[in-house]
Amino acid sequence: MIIAQITDSHMSPPGTLLYGGYDARDALRRTLAALEALRPRPDIVLFTGDLADGGLPEEYAEVRSLLDGFALPVAAIPGNHDRREAFAAAFAGSAVRIGAGRFLHLVLEDWPIRLIGLDTLTAPGRSDGALCDERLAWVAERLAEAPDRDTVIFMHHAPFPTGIDEMDRIGCANGARLAGIVAAHGRVLRVMCGHVHRPVAVAFGGAVATICPGIAWQVPLRLEPGAPIEMSPQPPAYQLHVRVPGAGLLTHTDYLPAPGAVR
């Protein structure tokens, strides 16, 4: 099984550019084209949040216009730049699989690896994430339903510190409790995250947790305490999580070439 992960496209309203000329539509279009061109193709694409930059209906309309003709199955959970109501309305009736209810969690049973999506949003306008008692109970119950199934959890905010102070300040509360739930299940292969805009990996509850770099800009690697977050241009990126017999689930990170570059 091959799981593709994309994250943090930060789609802007039609005809606008962000942060030093970032063209969100072109970046997402190129990323989706790269995924469609892969051989073998991924079984599913998980979109781990911040699809839109401002959570506006016109931004989601831009994302949906690109995904409506996309050849691969897609599931998505919201990030802190998304707005639940607009997110849910935008993808209602589309081929993009999303959750429903107070939190936009979802469980996908169609593949050899069970996929659980977690909504980590807090209040609108806040950048930090959280796993409250209700959400932790929900994921524990879902894992308990299938104790013998290999499982992947995908979410926006990373439930572990990265060492980048300003990103950790807007990380996910109660991550240690999630690690305990993951450890108790014992069959979670990966916890996949976005939000940090750079690749990171760590041991987590007996599993591996990874952060996928964004389609949009990169957060520079600044480990000194109190260093400010600055946006750096980068090619769009995605990750492939590939199940290999005898090796488990391997994670590969790939950056798209600059437009016009020979690969």
Side-chain angles (χ1 to χ4, degrees), residues 14 20-21 30 61 93 116 120 141 152 162 176 182 202 204 219 226 242 259:
R30 293 177 57 223
I116 297 178
T120 58
E141 290 166 4
V152 158
T162 65
V182 167
V202 69
F204 185 82
V219 170
V242 184

Side-chain angles (χ1 to χ4, degrees), residues 73-173:
V74 179
I77 46 93
N80 55 285
H81 279 256
D82 294 309
R83 296 294 178 266
R84 284 193 188 96
E85 289 186 6
F87 177 98
F91 297 109
S94 78
V96 178
R97 310 256 309 252
I98 64 170
R102 181 183 174 196
F103 301 115
L104 299 181
H105 307 317
L106 71 161
V107 180
L108 304 175
E109 307 273 9
D110 312 60
W111 291 274
I113 298 173
R114 194 169 186 241
L115 306 172
I116 297 178
L118 286 180
D119 176 344
T120 58
L121 271 64
T122 52
R126 283 179 54 173
S127 295
D128 59 322
L131 290 168
C132 59
D133 290 346
E134 180 179 347
R135 285 181 269 200
L136 288 165
W138 182 90
V139 71
E141 290 166 4
R142 301 293 78 74
L143 289 171
E145 290 170 348
D148 299 323
R149 290 282 304 276
D150 286 339
T151 301
V152 158
I153 295 171
F154 61 104
M155 56 199 292
H156 183 66
H157 296 84
F160 55 88
T162 65
I164 303 172
D165 271 5
E166 287 302 299
M167 294 308 298
D168 291 342
R169 185 179 58 79
I170 56 172
C172 187

Side-chain angles (χ1 to χ4, degrees), residues 9-92:
S9 58
H10 287 267
M11 185 63 69
S12 60
T16 64
L17 301 176
L18 292 177
Y19 306 109
Y22 167 60
D23 186 336
R25 183 179 178 86
D26 183 66
L28 180 56
R29 178 191 61 78
R30 293 177 57 223
T31 304
L32 296 176
L35 293 176
E36 285 183 316
L38 291 173
R39 296 295 182 272
R41 280 181 166 178
D43 295 278
I44 186 169
V45 178
L46 302 181
F47 207 147
T48 50
D50 282 0
L51 282 68
D53 191 64
L56 302 175
E58 55 266 36
E59 295 171 343
Y60 292 117
E62 289 285 286
V63 175
R64 180 162 174 173
S65 72
L66 294 171
L67 290 176
D68 277 347
F70 187 53
L72 304 175
V74 179
I77 46 93
N80 55 285
H81 279 256
D82 294 309
R83 296 294 178 266
R84 284 193 188 96
E85 289 186 6
F87 177 98
F91 297 109

Side-chain angles (χ1 to χ4, degrees), residues 182-259:
V182 167
H185 182 262
R187 297 290 293 270
V188 176
L189 302 178
R190 189 73 84 251
V191 177
M192 302 174 184
C193 313
H195 186 54
V196 179
H197 289 252
R198 62 175 306 106
V200 182
V202 69
F204 185 82
V208 175
T210 53
I211 299 175
C212 181
I215 294 174
W217 54 88
Q218 175 154 299
V219 170
L221 182 57
R222 301 273 176 81
L223 297 178
E224 61 269 31
I229 295 175
E230 298 174 355
M231 304 300 183
S232 293
Q234 71 166 18
Y238 61 88
Q239 287 185 333
L240 292 182
H241 308 276
V242 184
R243 191 169 198 174
V244 176
L249 195 64
L250 305 181
T251 296
H252 298 274
T253 301
D254 198 23
Y255 290 84
L256 273 61

